[in-house]
Amino acid sequence: MTVPLPMPGIGKPVPAPASGCDCNNCPFFMDNPRAVEPVCSGCTSSCEYCGCARAEDPLPGSEPGLACTRCPIRCGTRPDREAWMKDIGGTMHFTGLRAPGALPDLPLFTPQVDGHDVPTLDAQLRWPAYALGLRRVISPKTHKLFPRWEGQTAHQFLNLRPEQKAILSGYAEDPLVEAYWTRRKADGFAEMLAAQKWDLVLTPNASMYFNQPRAENLINMRRNLMLAAELSAAGVTAVPNIYWLRLEDLDRYLDWLDETPALPPALAMNLQTFRTQADWEEMAVPGLTYLAATLPPDLPMVLTGASRADRIATLKALFPGRLYLISQNPLQYARHGAVMTEDGRVDTHARTEDLFTANVRFYAGLADGTITPRNEA
């Protein structure tokens, strides 16, 4: 059950993480009997910011707390924590955030390109869909729309045929995602993406890390859903990105889906941060397995960052009939003179477009199960 929160502008403060990350006085701590919104089971043991020295030792000649406001991490120690709560609507809950829609007809595997010479890359393939990353649309340096996009739709920019689909993969490095969040209303980013007529947008993703304060994790989970809701309200077919660190995080997403009148087109996750085998086995697979067993059975999954054959096989087994993969590996390998085969990567001398064609077909074969690498047979 959602507890109504005191909102700004009506004479009451907005709940914020307790000063000094004090769980017993935090309005979000589950075991705090005075908690306004008990959604958190406590601080993260691996957090590197709890009791951060910046709060106690300001920069020479600066005001106390100034170093905190320059810190990119939101925690209970920051003097401006109330402002961050206002920025996300005064709540950590997901209630009321909606991004309804239907997934367009997509291939099981979509290659992500860099926007250069797509017709040449596609000449032999005539592939049904192509994806483009956010940093190819909004400049990582200026945080503005690249001038070359002015007056163009996504299909025009990529030189796609009418029947081909254009997907925006909103994943980007943290500074660009933060800039998108900060400038999104002033610069009308949602309306801009709607005008570009993307067939599908995987919404920009605020990251989550084990060394962050729990407040930062909770804020970013809500921000990711907020971005999807804002894009959807602007007329974009938007897929929310979800991340988790605890079982309770997954349960909150499930509760949100259960309470939502209309489901989103899909759920999206970027798996490329699970680089080590330990990360994959101990964090990614358990969470994905839980989702596979508990999500609505007809809700598609759009996953990026999975390029290893064994991992793709695991994902196919978890989400049969509803898994869609996006990867930039086919182009990256092709640009570096490499082709992926059943025996692994092979460096060769060939035209980029020929290598790209072979790589896309290889990954598509992994996605539909027609190719099984010999070491996996």
Side-chain angles (χ1 to χ4, degrees):
M1 177 179 176
T2 302
V3 178
L5 291 177
M7 295 296 291
I10 57 175
K12 295 183 179 180
V14 175
S19 178
C21 300
D22 180 0
C23 289
N24 291 326
N25 290 311
C26 179
F28 307 109
F29 183 46
M30 289 178 179
D31 292 338
N32 177 11
R34 301 179 304 282
V36 178
E37 194 173 276
V39 297
C40 175
S41 61
C43 293
T44 302
S45 59
S46 54
C47 175
E48 297 177 356
Y49 294 85
C50 290
C52 177
R54 298 184 211 197
E56 300 174 1
D57 300 316
L59 295 174
S62 67
E63 299 177 4
L66 180 59
C68 280
T69 58
R70 290 175 175 170
C71 176
I73 302 299
R74 288 144 284 246
C75 72
T77 301
R78 289 180 60 133
D80 60 347
R81 57 190 180 274
E82 288 83 2
W84 279 107
M85 286 305 301
K86 291 179 182 179
D87 196 40
I88 62 168
T91 178
M92 298 289 195
H93 270 303
F94 304 152
T95 303
L97 299 177
R98 301 175 182 177
L103 197 70
D105 187 19
L106 298 177
L108 297 182
F109 176 79
T110 297
Q112 183 168 320
V113 295
D114 54 17
H116 299 296
D117 207 12
V118 176
T120 299
L121 294 172
D122 183 59
Q124 301 174 62
L125 283 168
R126 300 184 69 81
W127 207 250
Y130 285 96
L132 193 70
L134 184 66
R135 69 187 184 96
R136 308 292 181 179
V137 180
I138 298 174
S139 168
K141 293 183 178 179
T142 67
H143 302 150
K144 295 284 189 178
L145 178 72
F146 280 113
R148 59 181 177 267
W149 272 91
E150 292 294 343
Q152 291 202 82
T153 66
H155 289 74
Q156 292 169 337
F157 182 85
L158 294 171
N159 290 308
L160 299 181
R161 299 189 308 276
E163 71 274 14
Q164 290 178 305
K165 301 294 192 298
I167 302 172
L168 177 64
S169 181
Y171 306 116
E173 293 183 348
D174 293 339
L176 180 54
V177 173
E178 289 297 326
Y180 179 98
W181 171 268
T182 302
R183 304 177 67 104
R184 72 193 193 285
K185 293 184 178 178
D187 289 354
F189 283 156
E191 293 74 17
M192 177 193 77
L193 295 180
Q196 291 173 354
K197 298 183 179 179
W198 296 92
D199 294 290
L200 189 69
V201 172
L202 310 184
T203 57
N205 58 318
S207 300
M208 290 176 57
Y209 300 101
F210 277 110
N211 69 334
Q212 293 175 339
R214 186 59 178 161
E216 176 79 355
N217 299 156
L218 294 171
I219 288 171
N220 284 346
M221 281 186 278
R222 177 169 166 84
R223 288 202 297 168
N224 286 334
L225 297 188
M226 286 180 66
L227 290 174
E230 291 171 1
L231 285 167
S232 180
V236 175
T237 302
V239 176
N241 283 291
I242 66 170
Y243 295 104
W244 66 89
L245 293 176
R246 304 179 184 180
L247 178 61
E248 69 200 48
D249 301 335
L250 296 172
D251 285 334
R252 292 180 67 212
Y253 289 124
L254 294 171
D255 289 343
W256 170 65
L257 291 170
D258 187 56
E259 296 171 356
T260 301
L263 292 176
L267 292 182
M269 282 162 278
N270 182 10
L271 301 175
Q272 66 183 12
T273 56
F274 298 101
R275 300 188 185 281
T276 70
Q277 192 63 17
D279 288 341
W280 174 254
E281 293 176 351
E282 297 171 11
M283 186 65 192
V285 172
L288 290 167
T289 301
Y290 186 71
L291 288 173
T294 52
L295 285 174
D298 57 345
L299 183 64
M301 306 296 294
V302 182
L303 305 181
T304 63
S307 58
R308 289 175 45 175
D310 58 336
R311 294 188 178 187
I312 291 175
T314 297
L315 297 173
K316 277 174 47 57
L318 287 175
F319 302 104
R322 54 171 170 159
L323 175 66
Y324 297 87
L325 298 174
I326 296 176
S327 175
Q328 53 190 339
N329 275 47
L331 184 57
Q332 287 182 334
Y333 283 131
R335 295 277 193 223
H336 291 86
V339 63
M340 287 300 293
T341 72
E342 288 87 342
D343 295 316
R345 170 176 172 154
V346 176
D347 294 323
T348 185
H349 295 288
R351 298 187 308 168
T352 298
E353 54 265 35
D354 293 335
L355 295 174
F356 178 74
T357 297
N359 290 336
V360 170
R361 288 174 176 165
F362 174 78
Y363 278 103
L366 292 178
D368 65 19
T370 58
I371 292 180
T372 301
R374 290 190 177 91
N375 61 355
E376 296 295 324

